[in-house]
Amino acid sequence: MTVSKLSIRNARRQAGDYLVYFVTIVLVASLTYAFNGLVFSQELLALSRQMAMVPPMIVFASIVVVGIISWLVAYTTRFMLLRRSREFGTYILIGLENEQVARMFFLENLAVGGCALCLGILLGNLLYQALRAIVLALFGMSYHFSFFFSGKAVALTLTYFVLIYLSAQLKSRRKIRKMRIYDLIYLERQNEREVVKSGRGRRVLFAGSLVLGTLGTLLLLTGDLAACLTGACLVIFFLYGFFISFASGVPAFFEKRPARKYRGQRLLVFRTLTAKLGTMGVLMASLALLFLGTLAAEGMGMVFQGMFQSRTNKNNCFDLVLAAEDPKVESYRDSKAYIAEKIPLKEDREYEIYLMDTDKIMAYTEVHTMYYRYYGRDAVMKESDYRALRAMLGYEDVACKPGQYLIHCLPYMADALQGFSEELVFGDASLTPGGVHTEVFAQHLYDYGNGGDFILIVPDALLEGYPVSHTMYVAMTREPVSEAQYKGICTIRDQIFEEREDPLEDSLLYASDMDEAQAASQTAMSVFPLFYLALVLTMTAATILTIQQLGEAGRYRMQFALLWKLGMDKKEMRRALRMQFAIYYALPAIPPVLVGAPLIRNMASQVEPGTMVGASDPLAITAMALGLFFLIYGIYIVLAYSSLKRSVLPE
Amino acid sequence: MLQVQNIEKYYGSGNHVTKALDRVSFEVEDGEFVAIMGASGSGKTTLLNCISTIDTVSAGRILLEGENIAELPARELARFRRERLGFVFQDFNLLDTLTIEENIGLALSLTHSDPGKVKAKVEAVAKKLGIEGILMKFPYQVSGGQKQRAACARAMVAGQSLILADEPTGALDSRASKNLLEIMTHMNQAFGATILMVTHDAYSACYARRILFLKDGRLFNELLLGEQSRSAFYHEILDVLALSGGDISDGI
């Protein structure tokens, strides 16, 4: 039998023995191909100018993915080498040269990687269609199937895989070439070296790591960059310190409490776990770090998605908005002229936003909500403008009752403002609250909207003599504003700003269609790479844990066979295996969840008030990020458990 | 205590049936130390596996304290094994992730003994078998003889009524074998443990008070120690082996 035939046979066996690893590589290949498909899709990139930023972001994420998967492949190759070292030693013993064995292992891994890549590309085509459907949905377009195959995407995926495999395989090839028979036969007996040897040292490390972890998490929640970086470093110290010292603390705990140790299946579960964890503390910490990365990426992705979507929804009512403190400025005047000339309108209106002489409502909302101030005093508009704008938007007509004022605000403030009962004085008149309205009303355009998150509406006559904050021009168009029309206005404005010494914009231009396209592009640009990373991180960590667990199948089988002979009930065996599984998989996930959950909640709370509401509420985002993480992780756990249960429990 | 009545065991199916046990019958009284001798393939391990409920018989009955073990459902069998039987295997079968103390205590935790009393019980039995000094060590840190004594401690710590030993000296040197056999004799005489030991080694067998000889799945002879010395018993065993064809003389 030739070396290459033996390689192929071993590759087939490897794909079976390390099925979880093989499936993960197939999935990673399909994800990489699908995202590379986005990079080269002319159809999707043509949806908006902003989509041009998507390819660099995906390539950047792919580079990180290549790094992570290289680690996974290198780790698994090393693991396989360890497990099969005796087999390799035997090959050399019967006369094969080191070089031949090294080549055989190399070819075997290349065959597995090549198969995974081919299957991944096939699956990736389906996944690409899913990504395409999401992108089209983001742009409000309907999905229809169209076959996609990109040679460039295949070439880029192939390049990534060559990088991943060559780095790992060349290393193992070098290692086998240098090894002696003795090394190969006894390699399996080597464990990860204990980093801290003395019991006291480990106890100190354990306690210290917990303190650092708590401190690090608190620093991460401050939002300050320097504090966050320090916090991140402390959390890394915590994870490594915790996992290096944890396994040794458990036997000491039970040694002092023998009655607890011998209760139920605890003895078996704790010893099996500590035997495993005692030699893989550094690895566990690295996996916990990957999980924390997953949670951070998922959380950030969801925050971005919610933020872009919600910000768009807050303003998405008028097709076009122009605003300026002084309506005579060139940028405002010329933009308006362009609109009048080039864009067919259904309706338009120009009006003023005034400022009151007090900030009573702002002061009130600052106390009762998470309000940010946009103006020095409360913004107010004329009743006639308000009613005309409501009519333009198709909202129900409302009017100020005599002696009353109205408030129009973002939904998050409504409850608080319902409770505002103070009278407001306009010249000689005193007005009482007459109701709160919350329809979408372009109130989130920072300095230039219909108020900053809220506005007062009073009878026109009362605003005589009040200072104007800014002038607004709003319009409803006959057709959606095209990218060319929007670009036309932007070109005029850019020319004006370029010619100035001080290029600051003195007016605002907003087009709801463009804003939606921008939100869609921003979502594709930030959320896609983050989820891509999160998926790969979870799959990598879960695969390594599963490989480790399934690698012990032989030992577990012997253990359960003995326990069966000693009279252990099968139900109890299943319970012991389940408990052992639950703890083994929960352990690297608990610290990241404890750090990650408050971190995600905090990230979502940093966004301006009224944005992260409904499904984007900080708590909802935290729950969804954790849910998604546990869903993917859970699939791996269930697969590993059912496979191990079948192979280790006696018939 | 133990009644084996006309048991038969077949392996395979169709034209390839192997008869491993052929109408084997014998009884073991409470407190006896019985050895079963036979060549490789004579059926002695099959017989032990059937008695220990690890395997099932094709025909016949095995009664332990009057109870037919073949009729017990799977759960009852598990309970039966953990409460009534103790095992000592040739390759020790200690779990390498557990300390010696925990390996012995495991048998008690399986029987749901009071967890608070496990440590004390383990220490008491370890003292009787002279292994109290190695309780905190892991199996890979102790000698083969010590491992086998730990296995004996595990086999008797939960008060099991019958100890089944399958070639217990098979992996030990002669000194450790002698030591273990003396301990088993002590377990039998001082604590009243009933022992059924399978061996192909005449020297090990001469520690028993009665020996059953198995050949091609059938019992063909029986020896009793009676009042004679162990040395005389040993020679009597060798004579039987010589008569039987001498193919189980590896241990001589």
Side-chain angles (χ1 to χ4, degrees):
Chain A
M1 182 179 279
T2 61
V3 168
S4 52
K5 270 189 186 165
L6 200 57
S7 298
I8 300 294
R9 183 182 283 186
N10 283 342
R12 223 178 289 150
R13 196 184 71 186
Q14 190 197 110
D17 289 353
Y18 295 90
L19 190 63
V20 171
Y21 164 68
F22 183 70
V23 170
T24 300
I25 296 294
V26 172
L27 290 177
V28 170
S30 64
L31 275 173
T32 312
Y33 174 77
F35 279 99
N36 285 341
L38 276 189
V39 171
F40 294 108
S41 166
Q42 291 308 319
E43 176 205 9
L44 299 180
L45 297 181
L47 289 172
S48 160
R49 272 190 308 163
Q50 308 262 353
M51 285 292 281
M53 278 306 290
V54 174
M57 295 303 285
I58 287 178
V59 170
F60 177 72
S62 296
I63 291 168
V64 181
V65 166
V66 167
I68 295 163
I69 298 302
S70 296
W71 182 64
L72 170 70
V73 172
Y75 176 83
T76 314
T77 309
R78 210 167 51 238
F79 186 82
M80 286 191 275
L81 182 62
L82 200 73
R83 292 282 148 161
R84 295 174 53 195
S85 54
R86 189 176 280 267
E87 175 193 330
F88 294 151
T90 310
Y91 289 141
I92 296 173
L93 203 64
I94 59 170
L96 252 68
E97 290 169 23
N98 279 41
E99 175 58 42
Q100 284 177 299
V101 175
R103 196 169 68 230
M104 186 178 77
F105 190 51
F106 181 75
L107 288 175
E108 174 187 326
N109 278 291
L110 279 194
V112 170
C115 284
L117 184 64
C118 293
L119 285 173
I121 288 174
L122 286 177
L123 189 66
N125 270 300
L126 292 177
L127 212 59
Y128 170 78
Q129 292 296 335
L131 284 178
R132 186 172 154 261
I134 296 171
V135 175
L136 290 173
L138 284 172
F139 280 90
M141 297 168 79
S142 58
Y143 169 81
H144 54 276
F145 178 82
S146 76
F147 181 75
F148 172 84
F149 179 81
S150 160
K152 286 178 184 172
V154 172
L156 191 56
T157 312
L158 185 68
T159 311
Y160 291 151
F161 266 69
V162 167
L163 287 174
I164 289 169
Y165 269 83
L166 278 189
S167 61
Q169 301 312 323
L170 289 179
K171 216 167 156 184
S172 67
R173 195 173 172 168
R174 251 197 323 271
K175 202 168 179 178
I176 298 176
R177 272 200 300 222
K178 283 183 188 167
M179 272 185 161
R180 295 174 302 150
I181 297 180
Y182 178 89
D183 296 333
L184 282 167
I185 288 178
Y186 293 102
L187 190 65
E188 208 180 346
R189 295 187 183 179
Q190 289 175 9
N191 278 327
E192 186 182 279
R193 281 198 194 114
E194 276 186 307
V195 181
V196 186
K197 286 204 166 69
S198 88
R200 192 170 173 275
R202 278 183 237 159
R203 279 196 294 279
V204 170
L205 186 61
F206 185 72
S209 68
L210 290 183
V211 173
L212 289 183
T214 314
L215 194 65
T217 309
L218 292 175
L219 285 174
L220 279 175
L221 302 183
T222 57
D224 176 69
L225 182 65
C228 282
L229 284 175
T230 316
C233 292
L234 292 185
V235 166
I236 294 172
F237 280 127
F238 152 63
L239 290 176
Y240 281 92
F242 176 79
F243 282 106
I244 287 167
S245 58
F246 177 79
S248 61
V250 182
F253 173 85
F254 279 118
E255 221 44 72
K256 287 179 190 157
R257 299 162 186 84
R260 288 196 188 185
K261 180 168 71 175
Y262 289 110
R263 187 166 297 148
Q265 290 91 26
R266 262 186 216 168
L267 172 64
L268 274 176
V269 173
F270 113 81
R271 272 301 184 194
T272 312
L273 283 170
T274 48
K276 193 107 200 77
L277 296 177
T279 54
M280 51 184 283
V282 174
L283 178 68
M284 275 288 187
S286 306
L287 299 182
L289 207 54
L290 293 190
F291 283 149
L292 186 56
T294 302
L295 288 174
E298 278 174 4
M300 214 182 285
M302 285 181 187
V303 170
F304 282 153
Q305 196 271 337
M307 190 170 79
F308 298 142
Q309 197 58 49
S310 178
R311 278 182 183 163
T312 306
N313 291 344
K314 279 183 198 170
N315 295 315
N316 195 354
C317 51
F318 302 108
D319 292 331
L320 279 168
V321 177
L322 273 175
E325 273 183 46
D326 179 1
K328 292 191 199 76
V329 294
E330 233 180 321
S331 61
Y332 178 87
R333 202 186 56 210
D334 292 359
S335 302
K336 197 177 153 197
Y338 181 94
I339 292 168
E341 190 188 337
K342 305 271 185 184
I343 303 175
L345 302 177
K346 266 198 290 196
E347 241 178 306
D348 63 343
R349 188 176 181 89
E350 190 169 46
Y351 55 96
E352 274 82 37
I353 302 294
Y354 298 87
L355 288 177
M356 281 184 67
D357 41 16
T358 65
D359 66 346
K360 277 188 181 172
I361 298 186
M362 259 191 278
Y364 175 83
T365 49
E366 273 177 334
V367 174
H368 293 88
T369 68
M370 296 284 289
Y371 183 69
Y372 287 179
R373 262 173 194 262
Y374 294 105
Y375 307 103
R377 286 167 284 162
D378 293 338
V380 58
M381 73 191 296
K382 286 179 179 172
E383 184 190 1
S384 61
D385 291 328
Y386 181 63
R387 292 178 70 181
L389 294 174
R390 284 187 73 93
M392 193 189 276
L393 294 170
Y395 299 158
E396 186 195 349
D397 185 33
V398 290
C400 295
K401 288 180 185 155
Q404 287 188 335
Y405 62 87
L406 298 173
I407 297 176
H408 197 111
C409 65
L410 292 181
Y412 82 96
M413 303 175 95
D415 283 347
L417 287 175
Q418 297 279 11
F420 183 77
S421 55
E422 270 193 58
E423 281 192 354
L424 295 176
V425 178
F426 289 85
D428 299 333
S430 268
L431 302 183
T432 56
V436 177
H437 299 272
T438 58
E439 295 93 342
V440 182
F441 197 50
Q443 293 193 290
H444 199 68
L445 294 168
Y446 307 100
D447 296 341
Y448 287 118
N450 282 326
D453 292 8
F454 77 93
I455 196 159
L456 291 164
I457 298 105
V458 298
D460 295 11
L462 296 182
L463 288 178
E464 285 295 321
Y466 275 85
V468 171
S469 162
H470 54 275
T471 299
M472 296 274 289
Y473 170 77
V474 296
M476 301 300 278
T477 58
R478 292 195 181 281
E479 298 287 329
V481 177
S482 70
E483 198 158 7
Q485 289 168 332
Y486 185 75
K487 208 175 164 185
I489 312 175
C490 289
T491 311
I492 296 171
R493 294 165 63 82
D494 290 346
Q495 276 170 2
I496 295 167
F497 299 133
E498 269 170 29
E499 285 163 12
R500 287 199 200 148
E501 275 181 27
D502 174 9
L504 277 180
E505 295 191 24
D506 48 18
S507 68
L508 168 122
L509 168 68
Y510 167 86
S512 61
D513 292 315
M514 292 306 113
D515 195 44
E516 276 179 19
Q518 188 179 357
S521 306
Q522 283 172 329
T523 304
M525 190 173 83
S526 56
V527 179
F528 280 14
L530 284 167
F531 274 87
Y532 175 29
L533 268 182
L535 276 174
V536 171
L537 287 172
T538 320
M539 291 194 304
T540 301
T543 304
I544 289 181
L545 280 169
T546 305
I547 289 173
Q548 276 281 347
Q549 191 68 272
L550 297 183
E552 294 293 331
R555 187 179 293 187
Y556 292 155
R557 200 178 302 125
M558 267 173 57
Q559 174 187 299
F560 282 110
L562 172 67
L563 290 168
W564 179 73
K565 284 179 186 170
L566 293 180
M568 192 176 197
D569 197 43
K570 274 191 192 164
K571 208 169 140 193
E572 284 184 309
M573 280 188 215
R574 275 196 294 272
R575 203 182 303 150
L577 190 66
R578 263 203 306 272
M579 202 195 293
Q580 179 191 319
F581 238 76
I583 299 174
Y584 175 77
Y585 278 95
L587 212 56
I590 290 171
V593 166
L594 291 178
V595 178
L599 187 66
I600 297 171
R601 191 162 182 259
N602 191 55
M603 274 194 292
S605 309
Q606 297 294 317
V607 183
E608 72 272 9
T611 305
M612 307 309 281
V613 289
S616 300
D617 181 82
L619 270 179
I621 281 192
T622 311
M624 280 191 289
L626 291 176
L628 182 63
F629 165 69
F630 281 115
L631 176 74
I632 300 164
Y633 193 34
I635 292 172
Y636 274 88
I637 297 173
V638 169
L639 287 178
Y641 177 72
S642 54
S643 157
L644 198 68
K645 194 175 80 174
R646 262 199 315 276
S647 71
V648 305
L649 291 183
E651 290 292 313
Chain B
M1 154 163 289
L2 174 71
Q3 291 166 284
V4 175
Q5 298 175 345
N6 271 321
I7 62 167
E8 294 180 14
K9 178 71 188 175
Y10 303 97
Y11 289 114
S13 58
N15 295 328
H16 305 284
V17 176
T18 309
K19 202 172 195 178
L21 293 174
D22 187 7
R23 284 167 290 156
V24 174
S25 296
F26 65 92
E27 287 187 12
V28 177
E29 295 299 322
D30 208 5
E32 260 198 299
F33 185 170
V34 179
I36 298 173
M37 287 197 78
S40 295
S42 62
K44 53 189 191 301
T45 298
T46 305
L47 175 62
L48 200 74
N49 282 346
C50 289
I51 294 170
S52 63
T53 74
I54 290 170
D55 206 346
T56 52
V57 291
S58 306
R61 302 197 309 163
I62 298 171
L63 306 173
L64 190 73
E65 288 168 359
E67 207 169 0
N68 185 355
I69 57 172
E71 288 170 1
L72 293 175
R75 257 192 111 163
E76 279 299 302
L77 277 179
R79 192 181 59 80
F80 174 82
R81 276 200 299 275
R82 66 177 177 256
E83 289 175 4
R84 314 263 284 276
L85 302 181
F87 294 92
V88 181
F89 304 94
Q90 178 176 354
D91 46 3
F92 324 123
N93 270 350
L94 296 175
L95 295 178
D96 52 8
T97 51
L98 269 56
T99 61
I100 297 293
E101 182 208 294
E102 290 163 354
N103 264 290
I104 302 169
L106 178 68
L108 288 167
S109 69
L110 291 180
T111 55
H112 305 289
S113 301
D114 178 358
K117 292 178 182 161
V118 170
K119 197 172 166 69
K121 282 186 183 174
V122 171
E123 281 168 354
V125 77
K127 201 171 176 187
K128 285 176 189 168
L129 300 186
I131 48 169
E132 69 271 34
I134 57 158
L135 285 179
M136 299 312 289
K137 295 193 172 172
F138 284 93
Y140 62 87
Q141 295 172 309
V142 303
S143 71
Q146 287 170 323
K147 276 185 212 171
Q148 203 57 301
R149 273 187 277 160
C152 286
R154 184 179 64 191
M156 61 184 286
V157 71
Q160 293 93 331
S161 46
L162 178 62
I163 294 171
L164 302 169
D166 188 4
E167 304 278 9
T169 58
L172 302 180
D173 61 32
S174 56
R175 194 164 152 266
S177 296
K178 185 169 182 287
N179 200 322
L180 177 77
L181 290 163
E182 275 165 7
I183 278 176
M184 287 176 76
T185 310
H186 184 63
M187 280 160 68
N188 171 246
Q189 289 173 354
F191 315 128
T194 308
I195 300 174
L196 185 63
M197 174 175 74
V198 158
T199 183
H200 66 268
D201 173 18
Y203 179 75
S204 299
C206 76
Y207 277 80
R209 300 190 69 77
R210 182 155 68 103
I211 301 171
L212 301 169
F213 290 87
L214 206 59
K215 189 178 181 183
D216 300 329
R218 303 179 75 160
L219 282 180
F220 77 93
N221 207 339
E222 183 176 6
L223 285 183
L224 288 170
L225 172 65
E227 298 303 316
Q228 63 184 318
S229 69
R230 187 166 288 151
S231 166
F233 193 40
Y234 174 66
H235 284 101
E236 203 177 347
I237 297 167
L238 293 183
D239 290 343
V240 174
L241 294 178
L243 274 174
S244 73
D247 55 351
I248 46 171
S249 54
D250 337 19
I252 302 167

